[in-house]
Amino acid sequence: MPFSLPIHNVYQPVDPGQHFPPGFVWGVATSAYQIEGAAVADGKGESIWDRFCRQPGTIADGSNGDVACDHLHRLEEDLDLIAALEVDAYRFSVSWPRVQPLGQGAWNEAGLRCYQRLVDGLVARGVRPYLTLNHWDLPQALQDQDGWANRATVQHFVDYALGMHRHLGQRVAAITTHNEPWVIAKLGHEDGSFAPGLRSRAVAMQVAHHLLLSHGLAMQALRADGCTAPLGIVLNLSPVQPATDSTADAARARLEDGLLLRWYMDPLLRGAYPQDVLDHLGADAPQVQPGDMAAIATPMDFLGVNYYTRAVVSADAPFDVTRSGLPLTDMGWEVYPEGLTELLLRVHRDYPVPPIFVTENGGAFADSLAAGQVHDRDRTDYIASHIAAVGAALRQGVPMAGYMVWSLLDNFEWASGYAKRFGIVHVDYATQRRTAKDSAHWYRRFLQRQRSARGQQPAAAQGA
Ligand code: FCB
């Protein structure tokens, strides 16, 4: 039975206003490990997140993604849910070890069928599939050979990208190589708070280089293979602001901006790493081979930006967000929509950017489900104000192409486990029952208003 979204009187935030241009893509996003479950089913290989979650002390609530939202067993229901939201696009990721258990060599037909069903189900419902190849769950078998620190993983990733293209053909609307290489490198290999849990800055910077290189080489290989889908990468970016106007804080902010934003944007769009960051890294700078930088700078069709909050840095102590007076989400992140406009204007000013999608944006808030409703006014405000921030960037000339809410469903929020809820649809993990929150109702109505202002039908009604 198709999922339906009963209309009830939901909270109306300030309308984000202006009408976005025709063709602007509205979506919702998820990732494989956070929702799929079926962690050991049908020949799937182990991922670094399967392994990491089993190490004591890594995940706040001791949980893991073994079941998560049980999405793969509820695929039809979830597809109907996505269609009921009347979004244009659904951004999801493929679990590499589900389709290629060892990360090289043999393919797992049962795993491939999952994504064929997903993509076919989206297309049949008029929702465009936006596929991400790497949302962090590297096959453990590759990690056993040093994973992203090993240059051989670059070629394995290119082969995986080609294999997915050959299996899914031209049915996907866009392909993202990597989700948030900074997180993989920094949190996974320097801080050790995310899988694979390593702690070495030199390793982290080599990992970042191999991720960027594999992105460029995979795009080249996909295009040579006849792939016509737009290709790009997704970066987690924030404006980095100094806590005070001291020279020391300004210098620190410049360095953090270098490590977070320029380390990725400079090679992708200008073909070179930022010299000040290379100088700072010294012996921790990565080994780069001839031709690598040109490969990384292979032109992209789009850039994905994930935005949640700003970064405020100070030279001595970590910045205390509670002193800023801004509302905080359940992650302890400041709600700062102006930062999104500021960030988009800056990347447009400093780089020859392709069309930009906000590929993730959303807020974790403590929800309560009562009588089949979740009145998540804070999340609705968060989303509406950030959509308005995208509109402000558009009006000032930034080539914005789309916006996607993180997330479709409450899900496994990595090291925070299940306590942090980002979904516009509530998940009761005991029953796996899905309940659209007020934010989901609001988002659907907002999209309806956008379309009627443009005289358009939802994609599903057009049979697009
Ligand atoms: C991003 C991740 C995504 C989700 C959000 C909250 O860094 O890409 O999977 O966890 O944060």
Side-chain angles (χ1 to χ4, degrees):
M1 195 183 107
F3 190 96
S4 66
L5 291 181
I7 296 282
H8 57 80
N9 277 333
V10 298
Y11 164 68
Q12 291 297 319
V14 174
D15 194 299
Q18 68 127 26
H19 301 127
F20 288 78
F24 191 89
V25 178
W26 297 100
V28 282
T30 63
S31 86
Y33 189 70
Q34 295 178 275
I35 67 163
E36 283 183 351
V40 289
D42 296 330
K44 174 181 168 293
E46 187 186 13
S47 83
I48 57 172
W49 273 92
D50 291 318
R51 178 74 62 96
F52 185 70
C53 292
R54 284 188 163 60
Q55 293 165 22
T58 53
I59 310 299
D61 56 6
S63 64
N64 56 56
D66 284 5
V67 177
C69 306
D70 202 29
H71 166 68
L72 287 186
H73 293 131
R74 294 160 199 274
L75 196 59
E76 295 300 317
E77 178 192 353
D78 286 347
L79 282 163
D80 288 341
L81 175 57
I82 295 164
L85 291 170
E86 299 181 30
V87 290
D88 302 310
Y90 175 59
R91 174 174 178 252
F92 64 96
S93 77
V94 172
S95 159
W96 184 354
R98 191 180 297 287
V99 295
Q100 201 180 27
L102 300 179
Q104 57 181 313
W107 293 84
N108 175 28
E109 288 301 327
L112 288 165
R113 270 198 300 279
C114 294
Y115 299 105
Q116 281 157 358
R117 278 178 59 209
L118 173 62
V119 168
D120 288 347
L122 290 167
V123 172
R125 289 165 178 81
V127 179
R128 281 176 251 161
Y130 276 59
L131 182 153
T132 299
L133 289 165
N134 172 26
H135 203 124
W136 308 353
D137 45 356
L138 183 78
Q140 179 63 39
L142 293 184
Q143 190 60 46
D144 293 343
Q145 298 165 28
D146 290 338
W148 287 112
N150 182 347
R151 197 173 164 105
T153 299
V154 172
Q155 187 55 47
H156 297 320
F157 179 77
V158 172
D159 294 341
Y160 157 59
L162 281 173
M164 287 315 296
H165 172 241
R166 288 177 186 162
H167 282 101
L168 293 177
Q170 305 286 16
R171 283 170 293 168
V172 297
I175 299 177
T176 291
T177 52
H178 301 296
N179 179 72
E180 302 188 347
W182 179 91
V183 170
I184 299 171
K186 169 82 171 152
L187 302 190
H189 296 81
E190 183 175 337
D191 297 354
S193 53
F194 277 18
L198 304 182
R199 291 173 197 271
S200 156
R201 187 169 73 167
V203 170
M205 298 320 289
Q206 193 64 51
V207 162
H209 179 67
H210 288 155
L211 287 164
L212 288 168
L213 178 61
S214 65
H215 153 79
L217 292 176
M219 288 200 306
Q220 290 180 2
L222 286 168
R223 287 182 183 138
D225 204 43
C227 177
T228 54
L231 306 175
I233 196 167
V234 166
L235 304 180
N236 54 299
L237 301 179
S238 292
V240 183
Q241 301 172 349
T244 70
D245 54 14
S246 74
T247 319
D249 283 359
R252 184 57 190 263
R254 171 87 186 144
L255 174 62
E256 291 297 332
D257 174 72
L259 288 163
L260 176 72
L261 188 147
R262 292 182 289 118
W263 184 261
Y264 298 91
M265 291 292 283
D266 278 23
L268 288 166
L269 293 156
R270 294 183 185 156
Y273 286 118
Q275 190 57 48
D276 62 320
V277 182
L278 285 171
D279 293 345
H280 167 79
L281 290 171
D284 288 345
Q287 290 174 14
V288 176
Q289 295 187 10
D292 286 4
M293 301 315 293
I296 293 172
T298 302
M300 296 185 279
D301 300 306
F302 68 90
L303 172 70
V305 172
N306 293 350
Y307 177 82
Y308 289 92
T309 189
R310 65 176 176 172
V312 184
V313 297
S314 114
D316 25 68
F319 177 69
D320 175 7
V321 289
T322 60
R323 280 175 32 212
S324 73
L326 293 171
L328 302 180
T329 72
D330 214 19
M331 299 294 283
W333 299 344
E334 293 172 318
V335 178
Y336 190 64
E338 304 88 318
L340 179 53
T341 311
E342 182 186 323
L343 171 72
L344 294 169
L345 289 172
R346 184 268 177 106
V347 297
H348 178 51
R349 183 193 68 213
D350 287 0
Y351 299 93
V353 283
I356 300 175
F357 288 84
V358 171
T359 32
E360 286 180 26
N361 175 246
F365 295 98
D367 295 319
S368 61
L369 172 67
Q373 300 186 359
V374 178
H375 300 304
D376 58 341
R377 178 183 282 232
D378 29 23
R379 185 176 293 98
T380 308
D381 275 333
Y382 184 102
I383 295 170
S385 60
H386 285 77
I387 290 174
V390 173
L394 245 175
R395 280 196 299 281
Q396 293 172 73
V398 184
M400 298 306 303
Y403 172 91
M404 307 198 185
V405 173
W406 184 272
S407 179
L408 168 68
L409 299 169
D410 291 334
N411 60 48
F412 176 73
E413 179 45 38
W414 309 111
S416 305
Y418 290 97
K420 308 297 181 199
R421 293 180 175 270
F422 276 91
I424 58 172
V425 174
H426 180 273
V427 176
D428 176 341
Y429 294 109
T431 61
Q432 290 294 346
R433 187 180 164 82
R434 278 80 161 124
T435 304
K437 303 178 190 177
D438 283 3
S439 52
H441 294 286
W442 175 80
Y443 192 45
R444 181 175 68 146
R445 290 219 205 143
F446 168 73
L447 300 189
Q448 288 172 344
R449 286 198 302 276
Q450 288 293 314
R451 288 195 187 96
S452 63
R454 304 191 309 229
Q456 282 182 342
Q457 298 294 310
Q462 297 165 16

